[in-house]
Amino acid sequence: MVGKKSGKALLREEGLERTDNNLELTSWPSVTPINQKNYYTEYLKRDDQILALRLQNEERLNGKVRDHKDRDRALALAPKVEPTGSNGDVDMEDEPAGEPAEEDDQGAGSKTIIIHPGSQNLRIGLASEPLPKTIPMVIARRSKQSESEEGGGEPRPKRIRLDGGEDEAPERAFGDEFNSQYSQMSTALKVRMRNNKRRLLPNSKELVVNYNRRHEPDTISEHNDPHRIDWTELPANPEKAPEYFTGHAATRLPDDSKPRYRLYWPLQYGWCNEKDYQSRRQLYQDIFLILKEAIRSQVGIHRRKDYAQYDCVFVIPDLYDRTYVTSCLEVLMQELGFGRLCFIQESLAATFGAGYTSGCVVDIGAQKTSICCVEEGMAIENSRVNLKFGGEDVTEAFTKMMLYDHFPYSDINLKRRYDFILAEELKKKHCTLAEVDISVQLYDFHLRAPRQDTRRYQFKTYDEVFLAPMGLFQPSIFDNSNKLRGRHKLIPRSYDLYDSSPNDPVSSAQQEIYETILPVSPPSNGLSNGDAPTPSRERPQAFSHLTRFREDPDATPRSSVAGSPAPETSGTPQANAENGLNGARGRSPSPIREDPLPVLPLDQAILLSIAHGARGDERKTKDFVSGIMLTGGGSLTPGLHTHLEQRLKELKPSISKDIMIGTPPRELDAQVVVWKGGSVFGKLSQTNDTWIGQLEWDRLGSRVLAYKTIWAW
């Protein structure tokens, strides 16, 4: 019986059987599909896949190899000595092995340049030097008019003129608002002095006004003046005059020189000065020329090829503009050609210079005041505060108050170079915040102008010397009308590439100041270009806002309802501030955040910064209030430390015993503490991983900052 055939046998008989010759259907390599349930990649998850970190590790490894070779060479050249150890091993930490490390440390300091630019001064020097060189951060360029002749020769501070073109009386020259605030401050000072049992003369103001009104100056011949100023001389032929001057030579140019020169200050109020420039290229070019001339004259580097042998530490503000930092990176690495570069923030540099591990750094500069809490070598991001007033505002307020009391030199104009130098000198000599110094005092000064005989004036003062620096605690007395003019006219804001939201650094403390100044109803976009009014009328709202956290000393102040819709049931103080920040970042770009001028009394701003830095932690709060350090030229006012400490204790009586205002140690000048901290930071060889080399700059550009900054870029 024949069995039944299978299907394969039938196909074989009919010739339809499938044959496999082991040939692929295509030569294209087949890719195994990804398991969608559990897939994994190592892309950019290891340090060796990131160029900046890979070069950093290679440099560290090469340094170890070099150190071992130097140590072996030193041991080979050293005389033969018997081993002193019990096990017969030679001590590897002997004196010959230690000498190369010491030489390397000194060499790093002598080849590292520290640059700290400011709104008024530039401090520059080698890390191996004890103190920096200070020069004005200004450049003078040839122009049709000097700055004192622009705008029809309108003086600064601006006076009110009558219909006939004559000046108004000094008591009414600055408007009713200034007169009212000045009178209120003077009355409050009298009440304060009476409460402190200090003697007051009833006719002190009359004595000052009557003396200043009738005084006439004395003339001194220029050759009889031992302290005459050496003004910058120009060639007789105007066509041979240089195109620009920088530093002290620029400030000592006569206002009526031939040809005329105009002063340009590239940095103003902590950001780029876009108001006085017509192009961004010209602004960056002036910064480059000022740095180049300062390095040539103060450091002694004349050839561009020598820059590659030097490293640079560049100090930037705590709340910076990303565009400014990337532009400085391009200027220093591409235009100047430094070998390596690193950035450090001002508050962190101040702690390095003073030797603080934790504290609250208050930097009072010429045109801005920055506050930031530092903990264990890291700046707390949400505690950063930037206020747009400083020592130059005190100078202008002091000039106004003296003119109000019939200052004998009534023609003073801060736009003139020699008058500005005179006003700064008078402020440094006579302004104080010590109540014991308030009395009718007789002073004198010498007015030195180019190609004129020296004039000696005598004048009397009373409470002007105290009320002018008191503007730090009542900033509405300052002229804040033009500080936002031209903002973002040339340099646009930095936006994120993915969601097109502004990515400049922000802090919850600074955000709260904006929300305090802004009215409840947001202003129209018509004010987006800087003509914002002085926020003096919002002052009652600021006081009530900070009174809330004065009642609870350990609580962080919450954001206002207008800016942060966080629920009231949130139990952690951090949640309200973070929700406000996230809401601000999630919204579409709006000019509202640029309209208000960040102005707040100094004592309230310090407590606000500490509250956001401590986040309700009682231990951190006590550490910060007991480690408040004042730096900058504006902190040199006599009596400021005591007066600020007293005001802070009045605002926070619950922790008054812990509040302490410190000064930089070792009798270090408060103006150079930040630069000194940059010098210390630049000498760190083993722990400093923030150096940016030329190879990293060429390959990555400004993207390298994401891997080479201590803070979150």
Side-chain angles (χ1 to χ4, degrees), residues 351 356-361 372-376 623-624 627-629:
T351 57
Y356 281 38
T357 56
S358 299
C360 181
V361 180
C372 183
C373 295
V374 179
E375 183 183 17
E376 300 297 337
D623 290 343
F624 292 150
I628 300 175
M629 180 178 62

Side-chain angles (χ1 to χ4, degrees), residues 18-29:
R18 180 179 177 181
T19 59
D20 190 0
N21 53 8
N22 295 325
L23 293 178
E24 298 288 342
L25 297 178
T26 177
S27 61
W28 190 264

Side-chain angles (χ1 to χ4, degrees), residues 308-327:
Q309 305 175 10
Y310 288 82
D311 302 335
C312 177
V313 177
F314 197 83
V315 183
I316 61 174
D318 298 323
L319 281 175
Y320 53 86
D321 289 343
R322 290 170 62 100
T323 308
Y324 166 71
V325 178
T326 55
S327 301

Side-chain angles (χ1 to χ4, degrees), residues 330-628:
E330 181 180 357
V331 168
L332 296 171
M333 297 298 290
Q334 182 173 335
E335 302 294 337
L336 293 177
F338 279 106
R340 293 191 305 173
L341 169 69
C342 71
F343 292 98
I344 185 173
Q345 292 173 300
E346 288 178 340
S347 59
L348 187 58
T351 57
F352 273 100
Y356 281 38
T357 56
S358 299
C360 181
V361 180
V362 183
D363 187 2
I364 307 176
Q367 297 180 355
K368 74 171 180 66
T369 299
S370 60
I371 307 169
C372 183
C373 295
V374 179
E375 183 183 17
E376 300 297 337
M378 292 295 293
I380 301 178
E381 295 183 357
N382 282 330
S383 67
R384 295 175 295 182
V385 170
N386 194 310
L387 306 175
K388 300 305 178 184
F389 59 78
E392 191 171 314
D393 295 282
V394 175
T395 302
E396 184 174 357
F398 184 51
T399 305
K400 280 185 177 182
M401 293 176 182
M402 290 193 301
L403 290 173
Y404 184 91
D405 294 336
H406 292 261
F407 188 57
Y409 179 39
S410 59
D411 195 30
I412 186 172
N413 180 8
L414 298 184
K415 289 184 178 180
R416 285 198 293 257
R417 295 151 197 173
Y418 59 88
D419 281 349
F420 182 78
I421 296 175
L422 172 64
E424 285 285 328
E425 180 183 354
L426 293 177
K427 180 197 69 174
K428 294 177 181 178
K429 283 186 176 180
H430 307 311
C431 283
T432 178
L433 278 172
E435 295 182 4
V436 295
D437 297 333
I438 301 177
S439 62
V440 179
Q441 299 284 349
L442 177 63
Y443 300 111
D444 65 343
F445 67 91
H446 294 78
L447 176 63
R448 298 177 176 90
R451 296 185 292 274
Q452 297 181 17
D453 291 335
T454 302
R455 285 170 284 175
R456 178 178 177 270
Y457 287 86
Q458 287 186 331
F459 67 102
K460 284 187 176 181
T461 62
Y462 177 51
D463 57 358
E464 307 93 339
V465 296
F466 185 90
L467 296 181
M470 270 292 293
L472 298 174
F473 307 97
Q474 189 172 342
S476 58
I477 195 69
F478 297 147
D479 183 11
N480 301 318
S481 57
N482 297 324
K483 292 182 179 180
L484 285 178
R485 179 168 297 174
R487 178 67 170 152
H488 293 313
K489 181 182 72 173
L490 303 176
I491 305 174
R493 295 184 64 181
S494 176
Y495 291 95
D496 190 86
L497 294 176
Y498 298 100
D499 56 6
S500 300
S501 62
N503 59 356
D504 283 329
V506 293
S507 69
S508 58
Q510 188 79 1
Q511 199 82 357
E512 188 162 344
I513 293 177
Y514 285 151
E515 293 166 353
T516 302
I517 296 173
L518 282 173
V520 177
S521 57
S524 62
N525 293 341
L527 293 176
S528 61
N529 209 3
D531 295 332
T534 303
S536 59
R537 301 188 182 275
E538 300 300 325
R539 212 44 48 202
Q541 184 180 356
F543 279 108
S544 62
H545 180 77
L546 288 168
T547 303
R548 181 174 60 215
F549 96 90
R550 187 204 311 184
E551 297 172 354
D552 187 1
D554 297 327
T556 303
R558 297 173 298 176
S559 302
S560 63
V561 178
S564 175
E568 291 294 331
T569 58
S570 178
T572 306
Q574 183 179 359
N576 290 328
E578 292 296 332
N579 288 342
L581 271 181
N582 294 335
R585 290 177 178 174
R587 291 191 296 265
S588 59
S590 172
I592 292 180
R593 292 303 174 196
E594 291 295 342
D595 282 341
L597 187 72
V599 171
L600 196 70
L602 180 61
D603 51 348
Q604 300 182 17
I606 292 175
L607 293 180
L608 186 64
S609 174
I610 292 176
H612 281 264
R615 292 296 185 188
D617 191 332
E618 183 178 356
R619 182 188 60 81
K620 289 184 179 181
T621 301
K622 291 183 179 180
D623 290 343
F624 292 150
V625 299
S626 61
I628 300 175

Side-chain angles (χ1 to χ4, degrees), residues 116 123 318 346-347 349-351 353-354 356 360-366 368-372 602 628-637 640-641 644 661-665 668-675:
H116 179 205
R123 292 179 175 86
D318 298 323
E346 288 178 340
S347 59
T351 57
Y356 281 38
C360 181
V361 180
V362 183
D363 187 2
I364 307 176
K368 74 171 180 66
T369 299
S370 60
I371 307 169
C372 183
L602 180 61
I628 300 175
M629 180 178 62
L630 300 183
T631 63
S635 64
L636 300 179
T637 304
L640 176 60
H641 294 70
L644 176 59
I661 308 295
T663 56
L668 191 63
D669 187 2
Q671 300 179 92
V672 302
V673 172
V674 176
W675 182 92

Side-chain angles (χ1 to χ4, degrees), residues 65-130:
V65 174
R66 185 170 55 252
D67 291 342
H68 282 292
K69 289 182 179 180
D70 293 341
R71 183 177 298 172
D72 294 341
R73 187 181 301 109
L75 290 175
L77 296 177
K80 298 293 183 178
V81 293
E82 294 296 331
T84 58
S86 59
N87 55 357
D89 294 335
V90 179
D91 187 10
M92 300 300 292
E93 298 297 333
D94 52 358
E95 184 177 356
E99 290 178 356
E102 184 178 356
E103 293 177 358
D104 291 344
D105 212 16
Q106 294 178 357
S110 61
K111 292 293 184 178
T112 304
I113 301 176
I114 316 300
I115 301 177
H116 179 205
S119 301
Q120 192 175 82
N121 292 316
L122 168 68
R123 292 179 175 86
I124 189 172
L126 294 173
S128 57
E129 297 175 345

